[in-house]
Amino acid sequence: MSFTKDNEAYLRSQGYSGTRFDAPRDSDLVEKNKHLYDSIIKAAGDDGQLTQTEYETIYNDRGPWGKYAYNQDSVTDALARAAADTGFKVDQNTLDRHDLAYDGDDIMAKISAGDFAPSASDKDKYSYERTIEDDDDAWNVFRYKAQEQEEEKEDEKPVEPEVPEPACPSGQIRGTSGACIEDKEYADNPWEEPKKTPKELADLRDVFDSYDPGAGSIDYLTPNMSKQYKPKVGSGKFAGFLRANQYQQDRSN
């Protein structure tokens, strides 16, 4: 058989006449099949499912083809291609209605032999599996290979620029909690102003130094958070004095 005859036979197997005299008819079939494919994609939506109700909507718009818009094999092929391409799942009633079945994520389609076949342009997406014969009838079974779906990237939230805190009013400083507090020589709360000495401790130091001028000055270190205020002052006369008096943060306790 010449290549011309072979090519015409192939086109006829897809439902096209394959001759130059019937080119307008072939073009119309291509447009009809695309219309069907697009209608199925639209009906499925973005939820990953094609329900029976959604499937029925494809018949609401038959385009210029009217009652001849769809035939069994055309719908079977379009359903299989659309589901394999986009990854949506077809409900069981629709699968049974159009001789479709899942094999993993792939879709198996049973199509009348000699009347229709997947497009050769999609040969990387389908493969012939076997032929089913029943008396004078025969069907070809094709596998429509599930296409890898791109993962949707979560919308990245824009990084909001840091807004600098307004300056504290005159005579105040920013405490460790972030609040503005009075800038005093001695701290009312040593945890809010860790670099400052509480007034009571300073007074005790002055009293002790007045009794023992040789004791000298001892650095004050911020205490750890505790119910009992026990500053870490190291060793020496002044440290011993504090330990002996068990100085507490809350003198009322």
PDB file of all heavy atoms in Angstrom, residues 104-141:
ATOM      1  N   GLY A 104      -4.341   2.572  38.434  1.00  0.00           N
ATOM      2  CA  GLY A 104      -3.503   3.546  39.130  1.00  0.00           C
ATOM      3  C   GLY A 104      -4.038   4.924  38.796  1.00  0.00           C
ATOM      4  O   GLY A 104      -5.231   5.184  38.890  1.00  0.00           O
ATOM      5  N   ASP A 105      -3.156   5.809  38.354  1.00  0.00           N
ATOM      6  CA  ASP A 105      -3.588   7.139  37.919  1.00  0.00           C
ATOM      7  C   ASP A 105      -3.841   7.177  36.413  1.00  0.00           C
ATOM      8  O   ASP A 105      -4.384   8.166  35.903  1.00  0.00           O
ATOM      9  CB  ASP A 105      -2.525   8.189  38.284  1.00  0.00           C
ATOM     10  CG  ASP A 105      -2.438   8.416  39.792  1.00  0.00           C
ATOM     11  OD1 ASP A 105      -3.484   8.277  40.463  1.00  0.00           O
ATOM     12  OD2 ASP A 105      -1.333   8.703  40.280  1.00  0.00           O
ATOM     13  N   ASP A 106      -3.429   6.126  35.693  1.00  0.00           N
ATOM     14  CA  ASP A 106      -3.698   6.047  34.253  1.00  0.00           C
ATOM     15  C   ASP A 106      -5.159   5.703  34.018  1.00  0.00           C
ATOM     16  O   ASP A 106      -5.840   5.144  34.892  1.00  0.00           O
ATOM     17  CB  ASP A 106      -2.818   4.976  33.596  1.00  0.00           C
ATOM     18  CG  ASP A 106      -1.339   5.317  33.658  1.00  0.00           C
ATOM     19  OD1 ASP A 106      -1.016   6.489  33.953  1.00  0.00           O
ATOM     20  OD2 ASP A 106      -0.518   4.419  33.428  1.00  0.00           O
ATOM     21  N   ILE A 107      -5.644   6.030  32.824  1.00  0.00           N
ATOM     22  CA  ILE A 107      -7.025   5.720  32.464  1.00  0.00           C
ATOM     23  C   ILE A 107      -7.030   4.775  31.272  1.00  0.00           C
ATOM     24  O   ILE A 107      -6.351   5.012  30.269  1.00  0.00           O
ATOM     25  CB  ILE A 107      -7.817   6.998  32.131  1.00  0.00           C
ATOM     26  CG1 ILE A 107      -7.894   7.896  33.360  1.00  0.00           C
ATOM     27  CG2 ILE A 107      -9.220   6.664  31.638  1.00  0.00           C
ATOM     28  CD1 ILE A 107      -8.699   9.151  33.145  1.00  0.00           C
ATOM     29  N   MET A 108      -7.789   3.709  31.401  1.00  0.00           N
ATOM     30  CA  MET A 108      -7.949   2.746  30.318  1.00  0.00           C
ATOM     31  C   MET A 108      -9.257   3.053  29.595  1.00  0.00           C
ATOM     32  O   MET A 108     -10.293   3.263  30.231  1.00  0.00           O
ATOM     33  CB  MET A 108      -7.978   1.322  30.869  1.00  0.00           C
ATOM     34  CG  MET A 108      -6.854   1.002  31.841  1.00  0.00           C
ATOM     35  SD  MET A 108      -5.216   1.141  31.110  1.00  0.00           S
ATOM     36  CE  MET A 108      -5.251  -0.301  30.023  1.00  0.00           C
ATOM     37  N   ALA A 109      -9.209   3.073  28.262  1.00  0.00           N
ATOM     38  CA  ALA A 109     -10.390   3.388  27.465  1.00  0.00           C
ATOM     39  C   ALA A 109     -10.648   2.281  26.448  1.00  0.00           C
ATOM     40  O   ALA A 109      -9.728   1.823  25.765  1.00  0.00           O
ATOM     41  CB  ALA A 109     -10.209   4.730  26.752  1.00  0.00           C
ATOM     42  N   LYS A 110     -11.894   1.877  26.354  1.00  0.00           N
ATOM     43  CA  LYS A 110     -12.315   0.848  25.396  1.00  0.00           C
ATOM     44  C   LYS A 110     -13.039   1.554  24.248  1.00  0.00           C
ATOM     45  O   LYS A 110     -14.105   2.154  24.431  1.00  0.00           O
ATOM     46  CB  LYS A 110     -13.253  -0.145  26.094  1.00  0.00           C
ATOM     47  CG  LYS A 110     -13.851  -1.216  25.199  1.00  0.00           C
ATOM     48  CD  LYS A 110     -14.824  -2.060  26.020  1.00  0.00           C
ATOM     49  CE  LYS A 110     -15.630  -3.001  25.137  1.00  0.00           C
ATOM     50  NZ  LYS A 110     -16.643  -3.741  25.923  1.00  0.00           N
ATOM     51  N   ILE A 111     -12.440   1.510  23.053  1.00  0.00           N
ATOM     52  CA  ILE A 111     -12.931   2.267  21.897  1.00  0.00           C
ATOM     53  C   ILE A 111     -13.156   1.321  20.726  1.00  0.00           C
ATOM     54  O   ILE A 111     -12.341   0.429  20.472  1.00  0.00           O
ATOM     55  CB  ILE A 111     -11.933   3.379  21.512  1.00  0.00           C
ATOM     56  CG1 ILE A 111     -11.808   4.381  22.671  1.00  0.00           C
ATOM     57  CG2 ILE A 111     -12.362   4.088  20.246  1.00  0.00           C
ATOM     58  CD1 ILE A 111     -10.790   5.472  22.433  1.00  0.00           C
ATOM     59  N   SER A 112     -14.255   1.527  20.000  1.00  0.00           N
ATOM     60  CA  SER A 112     -14.583   0.664  18.866  1.00  0.00           C
ATOM     61  C   SER A 112     -13.424   0.594  17.878  1.00  0.00           C
ATOM     62  O   SER A 112     -12.916   1.626  17.421  1.00  0.00           O
ATOM     63  CB  SER A 112     -15.832   1.187  18.144  1.00  0.00           C
ATOM     64  OG  SER A 112     -16.952   1.157  19.012  1.00  0.00           O
ATOM     65  N   ALA A 113     -13.001  -0.608  17.564  1.00  0.00           N
ATOM     66  CA  ALA A 113     -11.863  -0.806  16.664  1.00  0.00           C
ATOM     67  C   ALA A 113     -12.214  -0.326  15.261  1.00  0.00           C
ATOM     68  O   ALA A 113     -13.293  -0.611  14.739  1.00  0.00           O
ATOM     69  CB  ALA A 113     -11.469  -2.274  16.639  1.00  0.00           C
ATOM     70  N   GLY A 114     -11.298   0.421  14.647  1.00  0.00           N
ATOM     71  CA  GLY A 114     -11.470   0.860  13.271  1.00  0.00           C
ATOM     72  C   GLY A 114     -12.232   2.151  13.109  1.00  0.00           C
ATOM     73  O   GLY A 114     -12.192   2.766  12.052  1.00  0.00           O
ATOM     74  N   ASP A 115     -12.930   2.586  14.154  1.00  0.00           N
ATOM     75  CA  ASP A 115     -13.725   3.804  14.034  1.00  0.00           C
ATOM     76  C   ASP A 115     -13.035   5.031  14.615  1.00  0.00           C
ATOM     77  O   ASP A 115     -13.249   6.146  14.149  1.00  0.00           O
ATOM     78  CB  ASP A 115     -15.081   3.626  14.729  1.00  0.00           C
ATOM     79  CG  ASP A 115     -15.956   2.607  14.022  1.00  0.00           C
ATOM     80  OD1 ASP A 115     -15.734   2.389  12.817  1.00  0.00           O
ATOM     81  OD2 ASP A 115     -16.838   2.028  14.683  1.00  0.00           O
ATOM     82  N   PHE A 116     -12.228   4.831  15.630  1.00  0.00           N
ATOM     83  CA  PHE A 116     -11.635   5.973  16.316  1.00  0.00           C
ATOM     84  C   PHE A 116     -10.372   5.516  17.040  1.00  0.00           C
ATOM     85  O   PHE A 116     -10.269   4.359  17.441  1.00  0.00           O
ATOM     86  CB  PHE A 116     -12.628   6.558  17.342  1.00  0.00           C
ATOM     87  CG  PHE A 116     -12.275   7.939  17.806  1.00  0.00           C
ATOM     88  CD1 PHE A 116     -12.795   9.054  17.165  1.00  0.00           C
ATOM     89  CD2 PHE A 116     -11.411   8.140  18.876  1.00  0.00           C
ATOM     90  CE1 PHE A 116     -12.467  10.342  17.601  1.00  0.00           C
ATOM     91  CE2 PHE A 116     -11.077   9.405  19.306  1.00  0.00           C
ATOM     92  CZ  PHE A 116     -11.611  10.515  18.665  1.00  0.00           C
ATOM     93  N   ALA A 117      -9.437   6.435  17.187  1.00  0.00           N
ATOM     94  CA  ALA A 117      -8.205   6.147  17.930  1.00  0.00           C
ATOM     95  C   ALA A 117      -7.646   7.464  18.442  1.00  0.00           C
ATOM     96  O   ALA A 117      -7.932   8.528  17.878  1.00  0.00           O
ATOM     97  CB  ALA A 117      -7.181   5.447  17.043  1.00  0.00           C
ATOM     98  N   PRO A 118      -6.873   7.432  19.527  1.00  0.00           N
ATOM     99  CA  PRO A 118      -6.244   8.673  20.003  1.00  0.00           C
ATOM    100  C   PRO A 118      -5.374   9.282  18.921  1.00  0.00           C
ATOM    101  O   PRO A 118      -4.864   8.591  18.037  1.00  0.00           O
ATOM    102  CB  PRO A 118      -5.406   8.198  21.190  1.00  0.00           C
ATOM    103  CG  PRO A 118      -6.037   6.916  21.624  1.00  0.00           C
ATOM    104  CD  PRO A 118      -6.540   6.279  20.365  1.00  0.00           C
ATOM    105  N   SER A 119      -5.184  10.587  18.994  1.00  0.00           N
ATOM    106  CA  SER A 119      -4.384  11.284  17.993  1.00  0.00           C
ATOM    107  C   SER A 119      -2.926  10.853  18.066  1.00  0.00           C
ATOM    108  O   SER A 119      -2.355  10.706  19.147  1.00  0.00           O
ATOM    109  CB  SER A 119      -4.482  12.802  18.203  1.00  0.00           C
ATOM    110  OG  SER A 119      -3.595  13.488  17.341  1.00  0.00           O
ATOM    111  N   ALA A 120      -2.333  10.688  16.877  1.00  0.00           N
ATOM    112  CA  ALA A 120      -0.916  10.306  16.818  1.00  0.00           C
ATOM    113  C   ALA A 120      -0.022  11.379  17.419  1.00  0.00           C
ATOM    114  O   ALA A 120       1.096  11.096  17.873  1.00  0.00           O
ATOM    115  CB  ALA A 120      -0.513  10.023  15.378  1.00  0.00           C
ATOM    116  N   SER A 121      -0.501  12.625  17.441  1.00  0.00           N
ATOM    117  CA  SER A 121       0.302  13.706  18.025  1.00  0.00           C
ATOM    118  C   SER A 121       0.459  13.533  19.534  1.00  0.00           C
ATOM    119  O   SER A 121       1.329  14.146  20.150  1.00  0.00           O
ATOM    120  CB  SER A 121      -0.340  15.065  17.728  1.00  0.00           C
ATOM    121  OG  SER A 121      -1.622  15.154  18.329  1.00  0.00           O
ATOM    122  N   ASP A 122      -0.400  12.691  20.140  1.00  0.00           N
ATOM    123  CA  ASP A 122      -0.331  12.431  21.581  1.00  0.00           C
ATOM    124  C   ASP A 122       0.240  11.049  21.888  1.00  0.00           C
ATOM    125  O   ASP A 122      -0.025  10.486  22.950  1.00  0.00           O
ATOM    126  CB  ASP A 122      -1.727  12.538  22.201  1.00  0.00           C
ATOM    127  CG  ASP A 122      -2.256  13.957  22.202  1.00  0.00           C
ATOM    128  OD1 ASP A 122      -1.428  14.881  22.229  1.00  0.00           O
ATOM    129  OD2 ASP A 122      -3.491  14.130  22.174  1.00  0.00           O
ATOM    130  N   LYS A 123       1.028  10.508  20.971  1.00  0.00           N
ATOM    131  CA  LYS A 123       1.506   9.131  21.135  1.00  0.00           C
ATOM    132  C   LYS A 123       2.369   8.938  22.373  1.00  0.00           C
ATOM    133  O   LYS A 123       2.521   7.817  22.857  1.00  0.00           O
ATOM    134  CB  LYS A 123       2.257   8.677  19.896  1.00  0.00           C
ATOM    135  CG  LYS A 123       3.514   9.487  19.584  1.00  0.00           C
ATOM    136  CD  LYS A 123       4.147   9.017  18.276  1.00  0.00           C
ATOM    137  CE  LYS A 123       5.399   9.821  17.925  1.00  0.00           C
ATOM    138  NZ  LYS A 123       5.995   9.374  16.651  1.00  0.00           N
ATOM    139  N   ASP A 124       2.945  10.036  22.908  1.00  0.00           N
ATOM    140  CA  ASP A 124       3.719   9.911  24.144  1.00  0.00           C
ATOM    141  C   ASP A 124       2.814   9.875  25.369  1.00  0.00           C
ATOM    142  O   ASP A 124       3.272   9.596  26.483  1.00  0.00           O
ATOM    143  CB  ASP A 124       4.702  11.083  24.275  1.00  0.00           C
ATOM    144  CG  ASP A 124       4.001  12.428  24.316  1.00  0.00           C
ATOM    145  OD1 ASP A 124       2.959  12.567  23.639  1.00  0.00           O
ATOM    146  OD2 ASP A 124       4.481  13.347  25.021  1.00  0.00           O
ATOM    147  N   LYS A 125       1.524  10.139  25.153  1.00  0.00           N
ATOM    148  CA  LYS A 125       0.581  10.166  26.266  1.00  0.00           C
ATOM    149  C   LYS A 125      -0.320   8.932  26.314  1.00  0.00           C
ATOM    150  O   LYS A 125      -1.081   8.761  27.263  1.00  0.00           O
ATOM    151  CB  LYS A 125      -0.301  11.417  26.189  1.00  0.00           C
ATOM    152  CG  LYS A 125       0.449  12.735  26.331  1.00  0.00           C
ATOM    153  CD  LYS A 125      -0.519  13.902  26.293  1.00  0.00           C
ATOM    154  CE  LYS A 125       0.209  15.227  26.447  1.00  0.00           C
ATOM    155  NZ  LYS A 125      -0.739  16.373  26.440  1.00  0.00           N
ATOM    156  N   TYR A 126      -0.288   8.097  25.293  1.00  0.00           N
ATOM    157  CA  TYR A 126      -1.146   6.914  25.301  1.00  0.00           C
ATOM    158  C   TYR A 126      -0.411   5.738  24.675  1.00  0.00           C
ATOM    159  O   TYR A 126       0.600   5.890  23.990  1.00  0.00           O
ATOM    160  CB  TYR A 126      -2.470   7.174  24.572  1.00  0.00           C
ATOM    161  CG  TYR A 126      -2.360   7.117  23.063  1.00  0.00           C
ATOM    162  CD1 TYR A 126      -2.550   5.914  22.378  1.00  0.00           C
ATOM    163  CD2 TYR A 126      -2.045   8.250  22.317  1.00  0.00           C
ATOM    164  CE1 TYR A 126      -2.433   5.847  20.998  1.00  0.00           C
ATOM    165  CE2 TYR A 126      -1.925   8.191  20.946  1.00  0.00           C
ATOM    166  CZ  TYR A 126      -2.129   6.996  20.287  1.00  0.00           C
ATOM    167  OH  TYR A 126      -1.996   6.919  18.925  1.00  0.00           O
ATOM    168  N   SER A 127      -0.926   4.563  24.914  1.00  0.00           N
ATOM    169  CA  SER A 127      -0.354   3.370  24.298  1.00  0.00           C
ATOM    170  C   SER A 127      -1.468   2.356  24.042  1.00  0.00           C
ATOM    171  O   SER A 127      -2.470   2.316  24.766  1.00  0.00           O
ATOM    172  CB  SER A 127       0.720   2.743  25.203  1.00  0.00           C
ATOM    173  OG  SER A 127       0.153   2.351  26.449  1.00  0.00           O
ATOM    174  N   TYR A 128      -1.307   1.560  22.993  1.00  0.00           N
ATOM    175  CA  TYR A 128      -2.260   0.492  22.690  1.00  0.00           C
ATOM    176  C   TYR A 128      -1.993  -0.668  23.646  1.00  0.00           C
ATOM    177  O   TYR A 128      -0.848  -1.061  23.866  1.00  0.00           O
ATOM    178  CB  TYR A 128      -2.091   0.037  21.242  1.00  0.00           C
ATOM    179  CG  TYR A 128      -2.793  -1.268  20.926  1.00  0.00           C
ATOM    180  CD1 TYR A 128      -4.164  -1.315  20.708  1.00  0.00           C
ATOM    181  CD2 TYR A 128      -2.065  -2.462  20.876  1.00  0.00           C
ATOM    182  CE1 TYR A 128      -4.805  -2.523  20.426  1.00  0.00           C
ATOM    183  CE2 TYR A 128      -2.700  -3.674  20.600  1.00  0.00           C
ATOM    184  CZ  TYR A 128      -4.072  -3.687  20.384  1.00  0.00           C
ATOM    185  OH  TYR A 128      -4.693  -4.884  20.119  1.00  0.00           O
ATOM    186  N   GLU A 129      -3.049  -1.223  24.240  1.00  0.00           N
ATOM    187  CA  GLU A 129      -2.910  -2.310  25.192  1.00  0.00           C
ATOM    188  C   GLU A 129      -3.316  -3.657  24.603  1.00  0.00           C
ATOM    189  O   GLU A 129      -2.553  -4.610  24.637  1.00  0.00           O
ATOM    190  CB  GLU A 129      -3.760  -2.024  26.443  1.00  0.00           C
ATOM    191  CG  GLU A 129      -3.299  -0.819  27.250  1.00  0.00           C
ATOM    192  CD  GLU A 129      -1.999  -1.073  27.992  1.00  0.00           C
ATOM    193  OE1 GLU A 129      -1.929  -2.045  28.773  1.00  0.00           O
ATOM    194  OE2 GLU A 129      -1.043  -0.305  27.778  1.00  0.00           O
ATOM    195  N   ARG A 130      -4.499  -3.733  24.073  1.00  0.00           N
ATOM    196  CA  ARG A 130      -4.985  -5.008  23.545  1.00  0.00           C
ATOM    197  C   ARG A 130      -6.264  -4.768  22.736  1.00  0.00           C
ATOM    198  O   ARG A 130      -6.817  -3.667  22.757  1.00  0.00           O
ATOM    199  CB  ARG A 130      -5.277  -5.991  24.684  1.00  0.00           C
ATOM    200  CG  ARG A 130      -6.426  -5.583  25.587  1.00  0.00           C
ATOM    201  CD  ARG A 130      -6.562  -6.539  26.758  1.00  0.00           C
ATOM    202  NE  ARG A 130      -7.734  -6.279  27.578  1.00  0.00           N
ATOM    203  CZ  ARG A 130      -7.821  -5.364  28.510  1.00  0.00           C
ATOM    204  NH1 ARG A 130      -6.759  -4.588  28.749  1.00  0.00           N
ATOM    205  NH2 ARG A 130      -8.926  -5.191  29.215  1.00  0.00           N
ATOM    206  N   THR A 131      -6.728  -5.834  22.069  1.00  0.00           N
ATOM    207  CA  THR A 131      -7.993  -5.787  21.333  1.00  0.00           C
ATOM    208  C   THR A 131      -8.962  -6.802  21.939  1.00  0.00           C
ATOM    209  O   THR A 131      -8.572  -7.928  22.281  1.00  0.00           O
ATOM    210  CB  THR A 131      -7.785  -6.112  19.843  1.00  0.00           C
ATOM    211  OG1 THR A 131      -6.958  -5.091  19.261  1.00  0.00           O
ATOM    212  CG2 THR A 131      -9.122  -6.161  19.096  1.00  0.00           C
ATOM    213  N   ILE A 132     -10.197  -6.376  22.105  1.00  0.00           N
ATOM    214  CA  ILE A 132     -11.248  -7.250  22.630  1.00  0.00           C
ATOM    215  C   ILE A 132     -12.190  -7.603  21.471  1.00  0.00           C
ATOM    216  O   ILE A 132     -12.715  -6.712  20.802  1.00  0.00           O
ATOM    217  CB  ILE A 132     -12.036  -6.554  23.756  1.00  0.00           C
ATOM    218  CG1 ILE A 132     -11.107  -6.187  24.914  1.00  0.00           C
ATOM    219  CG2 ILE A 132     -13.182  -7.437  24.240  1.00  0.00           C
ATOM    220  CD1 ILE A 132     -11.786  -5.368  25.993  1.00  0.00           C
ATOM    221  N   GLU A 133     -12.396  -8.888  21.226  1.00  0.00           N
ATOM    222  CA  GLU A 133     -13.274  -9.318  20.135  1.00  0.00           C
ATOM    223  C   GLU A 133     -14.449 -10.099  20.710  1.00  0.00           C
ATOM    224  O   GLU A 133     -14.301 -10.906  21.625  1.00  0.00           O
ATOM    225  CB  GLU A 133     -12.505 -10.187  19.144  1.00  0.00           C
ATOM    226  CG  GLU A 133     -11.398  -9.426  18.423  1.00  0.00           C
ATOM    227  CD  GLU A 133     -10.684 -10.287  17.390  1.00  0.00           C
ATOM    228  OE1 GLU A 133     -10.992 -11.493  17.311  1.00  0.00           O
ATOM    229  OE2 GLU A 133      -9.818  -9.763  16.671  1.00  0.00           O
ATOM    230  N   ASP A 134     -15.626  -9.793  20.173  1.00  0.00           N
ATOM    231  CA  ASP A 134     -16.852 -10.470  20.594  1.00  0.00           C
ATOM    232  C   ASP A 134     -17.698 -10.698  19.339  1.00  0.00           C
ATOM    233  O   ASP A 134     -18.377  -9.775  18.862  1.00  0.00           O
ATOM    234  CB  ASP A 134     -17.609  -9.631  21.615  1.00  0.00           C
ATOM    235  CG  ASP A 134     -18.852 -10.337  22.141  1.00  0.00           C
ATOM    236  OD1 ASP A 134     -19.013 -11.535  21.849  1.00  0.00           O
ATOM    237  OD2 ASP A 134     -19.649  -9.679  22.831  1.00  0.00           O
ATOM    238  N   ASP A 135     -17.654 -11.928  18.812  1.00  0.00           N
ATOM    239  CA  ASP A 135     -18.314 -12.248  17.540  1.00  0.00           C
ATOM    240  C   ASP A 135     -17.808 -11.303  16.454  1.00  0.00           C
ATOM    241  O   ASP A 135     -16.622 -11.290  16.169  1.00  0.00           O
ATOM    242  CB  ASP A 135     -19.839 -12.180  17.684  1.00  0.00           C
ATOM    243  CG  ASP A 135     -20.362 -13.238  18.657  1.00  0.00           C
ATOM    244  OD1 ASP A 135     -19.714 -14.303  18.771  1.00  0.00           O
ATOM    245  OD2 ASP A 135     -21.384 -12.983  19.316  1.00  0.00           O
ATOM    246  N   ASP A 136     -18.702 -10.503  15.902  1.00  0.00           N
ATOM    247  CA  ASP A 136     -18.297  -9.608  14.806  1.00  0.00           C
ATOM    248  C   ASP A 136     -17.849  -8.237  15.302  1.00  0.00           C
ATOM    249  O   ASP A 136     -17.469  -7.377  14.481  1.00  0.00           O
ATOM    250  CB  ASP A 136     -19.463  -9.421  13.819  1.00  0.00           C
ATOM    251  CG  ASP A 136     -19.818 -10.721  13.107  1.00  0.00           C
ATOM    252  OD1 ASP A 136     -18.915 -11.574  12.959  1.00  0.00           O
ATOM    253  OD2 ASP A 136     -20.991 -10.888  12.711  1.00  0.00           O
ATOM    254  N   ASP A 137     -17.901  -8.012  16.604  1.00  0.00           N
ATOM    255  CA  ASP A 137     -17.509  -6.708  17.155  1.00  0.00           C
ATOM    256  C   ASP A 137     -16.094  -6.772  17.735  1.00  0.00           C
ATOM    257  O   ASP A 137     -15.644  -7.826  18.188  1.00  0.00           O
ATOM    258  CB  ASP A 137     -18.481  -6.278  18.259  1.00  0.00           C
ATOM    259  CG  ASP A 137     -19.896  -6.079  17.731  1.00  0.00           C
ATOM    260  OD1 ASP A 137     -20.027  -5.563  16.604  1.00  0.00           O
ATOM    261  OD2 ASP A 137     -20.867  -6.444  18.444  1.00  0.00           O
ATOM    262  N   ALA A 138     -15.440  -5.651  17.690  1.00  0.00           N
ATOM    263  CA  ALA A 138     -14.073  -5.575  18.232  1.00  0.00           C
ATOM    264  C   ALA A 138     -13.843  -4.184  18.813  1.00  0.00           C
ATOM    265  O   ALA A 138     -14.358  -3.181  18.303  1.00  0.00           O
ATOM    266  CB  ALA A 138     -13.050  -5.887  17.158  1.00  0.00           C
ATOM    267  N   TRP A 139     -13.076  -4.143  19.897  1.00  0.00           N
ATOM    268  CA  TRP A 139     -12.723  -2.870  20.534  1.00  0.00           C
ATOM    269  C   TRP A 139     -11.224  -2.870  20.830  1.00  0.00           C
ATOM    270  O   TRP A 139     -10.639  -3.899  21.155  1.00  0.00           O
ATOM    271  CB  TRP A 139     -13.479  -2.699  21.851  1.00  0.00           C
ATOM    272  CG  TRP A 139     -14.962  -2.630  21.711  1.00  0.00           C
ATOM    273  CD1 TRP A 139     -15.738  -1.524  21.545  1.00  0.00           C
ATOM    274  CD2 TRP A 139     -15.853  -3.737  21.732  1.00  0.00           C
ATOM    275  NE1 TRP A 139     -17.059  -1.859  21.462  1.00  0.00           N
ATOM    276  CE2 TRP A 139     -17.166  -3.228  21.573  1.00  0.00           C
ATOM    277  CE3 TRP A 139     -15.692  -5.130  21.852  1.00  0.00           C
ATOM    278  CZ2 TRP A 139     -18.286  -4.036  21.537  1.00  0.00           C
ATOM    279  CZ3 TRP A 139     -16.804  -5.935  21.821  1.00  0.00           C
ATOM    280  CH2 TRP A 139     -18.091  -5.391  21.667  1.00  0.00           C
ATOM    281  N   ASN A 140     -10.648  -1.703  20.693  1.00  0.00           N
ATOM    282  CA  ASN A 140      -9.253  -1.515  21.088  1.00  0.00           C
ATOM    283  C   ASN A 140      -9.208  -0.873  22.469  1.00  0.00           C
ATOM    284  O   ASN A 140     -10.021   0.004  22.788  1.00  0.00           O
ATOM    285  CB  ASN A 140      -8.520  -0.617  20.082  1.00  0.00           C
ATOM    286  CG  ASN A 140      -8.309  -1.307  18.754  1.00  0.00           C
ATOM    287  OD1 ASN A 140      -8.115  -2.524  18.690  1.00  0.00           O
ATOM    288  ND2 ASN A 140      -8.355  -0.534  17.674  1.00  0.00           N
ATOM    289  N   VAL A 141      -8.267  -1.330  23.265  1.00  0.00           N
ATOM    290  CA  VAL A 141      -8.089  -0.758  24.603  1.00  0.00           C
ATOM    291  C   VAL A 141      -6.806   0.074  24.599  1.00  0.00           C
ATOM    292  O   VAL A 141      -5.736  -0.420  24.233  1.00  0.00           O
ATOM    293  CB  VAL A 141      -8.002  -1.858  25.682  1.00  0.00           C
ATOM    294  CG1 VAL A 141      -7.738  -1.236  27.055  1.00  0.00           C
ATOM    295  CG2 VAL A 141      -9.285  -2.681  25.697  1.00  0.00           C
TER     296      VAL A 141
END
